[in-house]
Amino acid sequence: MICRVKFGESMAGKFLSHLDMLRAWQRAIVRSGLNLAYSQGFNKHPKLSFSSALAVGLTSSGEYVDIELNEELPAQEIAERLKKHLPPALELYALKIVDDKTPPVMSIIQRAEYRVSVKLAQSVPLAEIEKTIDELLASPRLEVERRKKNSREKKLVDIRPGIYQITAEYQDELLIIKLFLQNNSDGNVKPDETVGLIIKNYPGAEISQIHRQELYTIKDGQLLSPMEV
Amino acid sequence: MIKPLLDLKGEALKEYVALNILPQVEKPLRYQGEELNAIHKDWDKSGLHLAFAFPDIYEIGMSHLGLNILYQQANSHPDYLMERVFAPWDDMEELLREEGIPLFSLESYRPLKDFHGIGITLQYEMCYTNIINMLDLAHIPPKRKDRTEDDPLIFMGGPCAYTPEPLADFADFFIIGEGEEVNMEIYALWLENLKQNGGKLNRKQFLEDLVEIEGVYIPEFYEAAYHEDGRLASFEPIHPKAPKVIKKRMLKSMEGAFFPTKPIVPYLEVVHDRAVLEVLRGCTRGCRFCQAGVLYRPVREKSVQELVEQALAIIKNTGYDDVSLSSLSTSDHTCAYQLLTALLEELEKRNVSVSLPSLRVDNFSVNLAQQVQKLKRSSITFAPEAGTQRLRDVINKGVTEKNLVDVSYRIFENGWSKMKLYFMLGLPTETDEDLAGIANLGYTVLSIGDEVRESQKNFLKPPQINISVSCFVPKPFSAFQFEPQVPMDELRRRQKYLRGLIKNKRIDFNYHDPEVSYLEAIFAKGDRRLGEVLYKAWELGCKMDGWSEFFDFDAWMEAFEDCGIDPEFYAYRKIDYDELLPWDHLDCGVRKSFLIREHKKAMEAKVTPDCRFGVCSGCGICPDREVKLDLRGGKPGDM
């Protein structure tokens, strides 16, 4: 039986690496006494499949994991047992039982929504920030520098095709930038590099927190939560 | 430039650190806390506030069983609060200093200065400068004489507390021996004193009362005098209540001893990232280089039933997928086979594996290893320690070449391809012949591996041997405490010589520079005068000396020179049997006369059998301390 779980990483969890989080989940499931399925063979590993890895330093309220169990139980009971045993860094929001043939959550994610908090050195009218965003979105190419895999060399990557929407608002002194970005097997657009393109126009501005709000799949042109598939 | 002290604590400090400091350090989880099973007590409702300080980084400290035992035990009492703190890595240290944030505990994010006491565990000599550095980071004067009544008391325990003199300037008191009983007695007295004095400790009264607790050593109550040649002339109590000799504390039986079945589960991957079950305490094999084998006598085993219950409870409370059976020599548990069978029966169905840390070179141990490693046959480790039978007899390591040959056949026949062998270089009486013996053993084992592989039609991976050679450090409370360490130049020559004898690419040869071992030897045998050197070395920037990226030998030598102290006096001097030693005022239960006898036998290459096989070796602990071997089965190695 496969359960799909929506969960979040709180402030206490923001420094967990993907591997730390995986271990924390595995241990929570063992503590809850649920009969977790393991792969057979030389090196057994638990059958857990996560949505895309969350970078270290980010909080999130939209993470997903598919858990395969060797037993049939009502969703509510599984959710309650997991809730009780998750460590302080992780929080379970919802759980549903999905069909055994459902493609793993990792394979269906297409978009990620982020909320980036920015501290400005001096206040800037919202209209001006919106104008910067519009200009940015109007450019045909947006290049950022990334390090090549396993190398110190850098390369330029065009992230414009992977940016779908950017909006901004003020919450008290904090500027909140909301972004919808590509997040799939073809590559991810990173929230910090995207916001970096905006705030480089405002000296002294710095990102204070990045929160992943949600992950989406796409069905018939509509953004859909992985829980709704 | 140092900013003024940042006066934040608790939640406010935590938030500040999470937002401004942690994103800048390499491993923020070292400083975050909030792990599963960490204990967050109400500060105001707890009468006694203690911090457990581990003078190394989080990943090392959180792998230490003693921390979990003493932390959980203290917190199990409603009136005591104990929180953790580790030595910060230098990226964090730099930020703390820059921002003026005093070192804080992981649980409540309170500065260490707010606690009544800071307990520091002494696991190895090379963490001593970290102690000074941590106190300095906590804005607490490291030297006792510079502290006031407003500072916390600094107390220390653990194996190196048996040789505490180099730290005598820094500690208010030491705890000698096993902590489970004595710590709780100390805390009770402490709380009582606080209550009687309106929450502020009357230090003078406390120490007067504390000195009556067996196992407590208060350095300011003693005075040392030295001969002109540097040897200790006298070491006498200067307080009427201070005992001439301080006896170690120990549990008479491990049955029912406090054991944490709800240990903290780190988010960060630590060195030993698994459940740890202590199966027995002590070892009477009697290796003459081994300090722990003397300090933790007598052997006390836990029962199979209690161990299985504890293992299951730990798995239930932590979710670990591996249980490590820990002790000085786990295959020596007289019910090891029954224990393993019972554990595997319960744990395999839960997908939990069992691991054995180190194995003796005998068939019984291989049987156990086979049991636990049904699938994964990665590598297996043995420690013959010396290359020839003569030298193994000198050190009383009861391993023969035949043992190693037999075991090697078993290992390779059962699918292992990698074998690690540990040896020591610079053992007393060692010659080049003994070094050649190490190389020969390596070749013998490799050829056995090849032979087995050939007989199985090369189905297996080609065998690989890893030989690791450490530099011998003569330790107090071992039979070799009288021995000098082999000088560094000679150790390097021997390393080079041995290196030259190992020419097969499938024999990997590892060794370390002897500089660290030299310092270990100095501080292990050190007296009070070394406190100045420690402090000077720290002033010169020494810290994290166990980490090669920080270790600065030249700075250490400069510190000795500045203090006018000859380090060779401590490490390279042969000690007479009748010499007064800087640890003679501490009684570990084993008589010095036994160590002298063992040393004499070593020089004659005569072995002393393990007392568990019937003949008492006369170490003295059973009659003197009214204890006895506490075994659950027949003899070690019985099925």
Side-chain angles (χ1 to χ4, degrees):
Chain A
M1 187 177 85
I2 299 174
C3 310
R4 178 159 296 173
V5 176
K6 179 176 181 178
F7 69 99
E9 274 189 38
S10 64
M11 282 299 277
K14 76 179 214 176
F15 295 116
L16 265 61
S17 71
H18 190 63
L19 208 65
D20 297 331
M21 188 200 54
L22 188 145
R23 258 197 318 269
W25 263 103
Q26 184 185 343
R27 288 171 183 162
I29 298 167
V30 172
R31 289 193 297 272
S32 71
L34 293 167
N35 193 344
L36 180 62
Y38 285 81
S39 68
Q40 296 304 304
F42 211 64
N43 250 325
K44 291 209 257 183
H45 58 88
K47 290 195 170 175
L48 294 176
S49 164
F50 288 88
S51 51
S52 75
L54 186 69
V56 175
L58 273 62
T59 55
S60 174
S61 52
E63 301 301 300
Y64 296 87
V65 56
D66 290 342
I67 303 170
E68 187 173 334
L69 298 178
N70 283 328
E71 60 187 339
E72 306 279 324
L73 288 168
Q76 199 187 341
E77 186 188 335
I78 300 170
E80 272 165 17
R81 278 163 70 173
L82 286 174
K83 264 187 189 171
K84 203 173 139 202
H85 289 283
L86 279 173
L90 303 172
E91 191 181 352
L92 183 145
Y93 301 130
L95 179 146
K96 78 175 217 178
I97 291 160
V98 294
D99 190 89
D100 280 2
K101 294 188 183 67
T102 309
V105 64
M106 187 197 290
S107 69
I108 62 167
I109 300 296
Q110 297 290 344
R111 296 264 202 286
E113 177 188 351
Y114 295 95
R115 289 167 58 89
V116 180
S117 312
V118 176
K119 264 190 206 154
L120 292 167
Q122 59 251 359
S123 95
V124 181
L126 189 60
E128 194 186 322
I129 286 165
E130 282 171 340
K131 192 167 155 257
T132 307
I133 293 171
D134 288 343
E135 281 167 14
L136 208 64
L137 293 175
S139 346
R141 275 181 79 79
L142 285 173
E143 284 184 332
V144 293
E145 213 176 45
R146 281 194 195 160
R147 199 185 292 175
K148 284 189 185 168
K149 246 184 195 166
N150 306 322
S151 147
R152 278 169 180 269
E153 276 179 65
K154 303 221 166 139
K155 58 173 180 183
L156 287 177
V157 180
D158 177 21
I159 59 169
R160 178 61 192 89
I163 302 175
Y164 294 93
Q165 199 190 89
I166 307 177
T167 54
E169 64 181 37
Y170 270 109
Q171 265 177 20
D172 302 323
E173 303 289 290
L174 271 187
L175 175 67
I176 310 287
I177 300 179
K178 265 172 73 175
L179 311 103
F180 283 81
L181 303 173
Q182 173 180 325
N183 193 305
N184 59 23
S185 51
D186 295 334
N188 301 336
V189 175
K190 296 172 186 162
D192 49 342
E193 60 189 14
T194 314
V195 169
L197 294 173
I198 302 170
I199 63 173
K200 69 177 181 194
N201 300 304
Y202 308 107
E206 52 180 38
I207 295 175
S208 69
Q209 182 59 33
I210 306 177
H211 181 74
R212 183 141 88 185
Q213 187 70 30
E214 186 56 287
L215 289 170
Y216 299 97
T217 183
I218 296 179
K219 205 177 168 190
D220 307 326
Q222 293 287 310
L223 291 187
L224 215 61
S225 155
M227 298 305 274
E228 296 172 70
V229 180
Chain B
M1 202 186 75
I2 296 170
K3 279 195 202 172
L5 189 91
L6 185 73
D7 194 20
L8 289 177
K9 60 179 75 166
E11 284 306 310
L13 177 63
K14 186 165 186 143
E15 201 185 315
Y16 182 83
V17 168
L19 286 175
N20 301 294
I21 309 280
L22 296 189
Q24 299 184 58
V25 303
E26 183 196 0
K27 291 200 172 173
L29 290 174
R30 286 172 177 161
Y31 317 103
Q32 178 179 267
E34 297 203 47
E35 307 95 321
L36 183 85
N37 299 338
I39 298 172
H40 295 259
K41 282 193 145 177
D42 188 326
W43 185 270
D44 298 323
K45 284 186 188 147
S46 319
L48 180 64
H49 305 138
L50 300 169
F52 189 113
F54 196 97
D56 208 319
I57 61 166
Y58 180 89
E59 293 95 309
I60 308 280
M62 285 306 292
S63 303
H64 182 242
L65 177 64
L67 182 153
N68 255 307
I69 295 178
L70 302 176
Y71 172 85
Q72 302 281 354
Q73 189 191 24
N75 282 316
S76 69
H77 191 287
D79 291 329
Y80 313 148
L81 165 151
M82 185 180 273
E83 304 192 345
R84 294 161 299 150
V85 60
F86 301 88
W89 195 246
D90 77 328
D91 55 354
M92 182 66 171
E93 176 181 341
E94 205 174 299
L95 290 164
L96 292 178
R97 289 194 188 277
E98 234 171 62
E99 302 248 352
I101 300 173
L103 191 63
F104 52 83
S105 66
L106 288 193
E107 279 79 0
S108 70
Y109 263 62
R110 276 175 186 268
L112 295 192
K113 231 175 153 33
D114 282 11
F115 289 78
H116 294 120
I118 297 167
I120 299 172
T121 182
L122 307 175
Q123 295 298 314
Y124 37 87
E125 291 82 5
M126 301 317 287
C127 68
Y128 289 175
T129 52
N130 283 357
I131 295 172
I132 300 176
N133 202 39
M134 285 173 83
L135 291 175
D136 181 63
L137 272 167
H139 301 224
I140 297 167
K143 287 186 183 166
R144 186 178 63 240
K145 69 176 174 47
D146 298 329
R147 292 196 291 263
T148 69
E149 297 256 324
D150 293 325
D151 287 307
L153 292 191
I154 308 301
F155 59 111
M156 306 183 189
C160 293
Y162 283 95
T163 49
E165 293 308 303
L167 292 167
D169 291 349
F170 308 98
D172 290 284
F173 64 94
F174 293 91
I175 301 169
I176 313 300
E178 298 165 0
E180 285 100 334
E181 285 174 358
V182 63
N183 286 10
M184 297 304 265
E185 294 168 20
I186 294 168
Y187 303 156
L189 192 68
W190 206 328
L191 182 69
E192 190 52 37
N193 186 298
L194 285 167
K195 277 184 178 165
Q196 279 177 4
N197 298 291
K200 189 160 165 52
L201 185 79
N202 180 335
R203 183 177 183 274
K204 188 168 178 288
Q205 185 61 51
F206 180 56
L207 294 187
E208 297 249 331
D209 294 338
L210 192 62
V211 75
E212 290 181 13
I213 295 183
E214 191 171 273
V216 173
Y217 165 48
I218 301 172
E220 67 193 69
F221 288 177
Y222 297 80
E223 207 169 65
Y226 303 90
H227 291 296
E228 246 174 56
D229 62 9
R231 286 173 306 128
L232 191 62
S234 70
F235 192 94
E236 293 296 328
I238 49 171
H239 187 281
K241 282 169 87 179
K244 187 145 173 56
V245 168
I246 296 106
K247 287 182 179 178
K248 82 160 177 190
R249 290 297 293 270
M250 68 181 139
L251 303 179
K252 287 203 165 178
S253 159
M254 292 302 290
E255 197 73 21
F258 182 88
F259 195 77
T261 50
K262 222 177 165 185
I264 297 171
V265 183
Y267 291 114
L268 189 65
E269 186 169 6
V270 297
V271 179
H272 298 296
D273 207 18
R274 55 181 77 93
V276 181
L277 194 61
E278 185 184 21
V279 298
L280 64 95
R281 206 170 274 182
C283 175
T284 44
R285 288 280 172 181
C287 299
R288 291 176 179 133
F289 55 83
C290 182
Q291 182 191 51
V294 173
L295 298 186
Y296 293 99
R297 285 182 184 219
V299 174
R300 291 143 294 159
E301 297 178 347
K302 279 158 74 169
S303 73
V304 172
Q305 192 198 337
E306 190 176 14
L307 287 167
V308 173
E309 282 169 11
Q310 288 177 348
L312 291 178
I314 297 172
I315 295 303
K316 189 166 174 285
N317 291 328
T318 62
Y320 281 125
D321 60 1
D322 190 22
V323 179
S324 169
L325 303 185
S326 158
S327 72
L328 291 173
S329 181
T330 295
S331 54
D332 277 343
H333 194 295
T334 52
C335 302
Y337 196 82
Q338 294 94 307
L339 170 65
L340 211 53
T341 310
L343 275 178
L344 288 171
E345 194 187 319
E346 288 296 332
L347 296 178
E348 275 183 339
K349 60 188 177 199
R350 293 171 168 84
N351 288 298
V352 175
S353 58
V354 177
S355 51
L356 296 166
S358 63
L359 293 168
R360 288 187 49 75
V361 188
D362 57 28
N363 276 318
F364 177 72
S365 298
V366 179
N367 286 342
L368 297 181
Q370 244 178 297
Q371 285 261 332
V372 302
Q373 302 204 338
K374 287 213 169 115
L375 271 175
K376 270 202 221 165
R377 297 270 157 85
S378 43
S379 78
I380 192 157
T381 305
F382 295 104
E385 310 289 9
T388 59
Q389 196 56 52
R390 183 200 66 82
L391 191 52
R392 284 193 297 269
D393 288 346
V394 167
I395 64 176
N396 204 41
K397 183 89 190 179
V399 173
T400 63
E401 178 146 354
K402 187 178 176 307
N403 288 146
L404 195 64
V405 166
D406 288 351
V407 159
S408 300
Y409 275 106
R410 291 281 309 280
I411 291 302
F412 293 116
E413 280 165 3
N414 283 289
W416 276 281
S417 60
K418 232 187 207 169
M419 197 195 284
K420 286 186 191 163
L421 298 172
Y422 286 170
F423 294 94
M424 272 188 255
L425 199 87
L427 285 163
T429 76
E430 182 181 79
T431 64
D432 285 359
E433 203 177 310
D434 300 303
L435 303 179
I438 295 177
N440 291 341
L441 274 182
Y443 279 109
T444 304
V445 172
L446 185 69
S447 67
I448 292 170
D450 283 336
E451 183 191 326
V452 171
R453 182 167 179 256
E454 211 165 294
S455 73
Q456 303 204 0
K457 302 198 168 54
N458 294 339
F459 177 69
L460 303 166
K461 277 196 218 164
Q464 182 101 39
I465 313 300
N466 182 320
I467 293 180
S468 271
V469 178
S470 62
C471 299
F472 171 65
V473 177
K475 289 281 179 127
F477 297 106
S478 76
F480 289 157
Q481 69 175 6
F482 309 105
E483 287 289 325
Q485 189 177 42
V486 173
M488 284 192 287
D489 286 347
E490 170 63 10
L491 283 172
R492 289 199 187 100
R493 185 199 67 81
R494 293 186 196 183
Q495 287 175 334
K496 207 172 144 199
Y497 174 71
L498 181 52
R499 160 88 280 176
L501 296 177
I502 298 172
K503 289 195 175 108
N504 192 307
K505 264 193 263 173
R506 286 187 291 132
I507 304 180
D508 210 15
F509 179 61
N510 295 312
Y511 59 95
H512 297 112
D513 196 274
E515 288 171 345
V516 173
S517 311
Y518 177 49
L519 277 172
E520 277 172 13
I522 297 162
F523 280 95
K525 289 187 181 177
D527 55 37
R528 282 192 178 190
R529 294 169 296 186
L530 292 190
E532 274 311 310
V533 180
L534 263 181
Y535 196 80
K536 187 80 210 168
W538 169 74
E539 284 183 325
L540 291 170
C542 292
K543 63 182 177 187
M544 296 278 177
D545 299 299
W547 296 83
S548 54
E549 55 266 63
F550 287 102
F551 181 65
D552 183 352
F553 186 69
D554 294 341
W556 274 104
M557 290 305 107
E558 194 185 328
F560 277 102
E561 194 155 350
D562 283 0
C563 298
I565 286 179
D566 173 18
E568 295 191 0
F569 168 82
Y570 295 94
Y572 293 165
R573 178 171 50 98
K574 186 155 180 63
I575 292 172
D576 289 337
Y577 292 146
D578 57 5
E579 188 179 321
L580 180 66
L581 300 173
W583 52 93
D584 276 350
H585 56 292
L586 302 172
D587 172 10
C588 71
V590 170
R591 296 174 193 161
K592 192 173 181 180
S593 59
F594 171 77
L595 300 179
I596 292 170
R597 207 161 63 235
E598 280 297 294
H599 183 258
K600 286 179 179 163
K601 282 176 84 176
M603 294 305 113
E604 296 162 17
K606 282 192 182 144
V607 299
T608 301
D610 185 335
C611 62
R612 281 173 292 190
F613 294 97
V615 183
C616 169
S617 54
C619 76
I621 193 161
C622 294
D624 293 354
R625 303 298 295 270
E626 292 174 5
V627 289
K628 55 181 178 8
L629 289 171
D630 190 9
L631 310 179
R632 304 284 148 175
K635 289 171 183 164
D638 283 355
M639 297 283 267

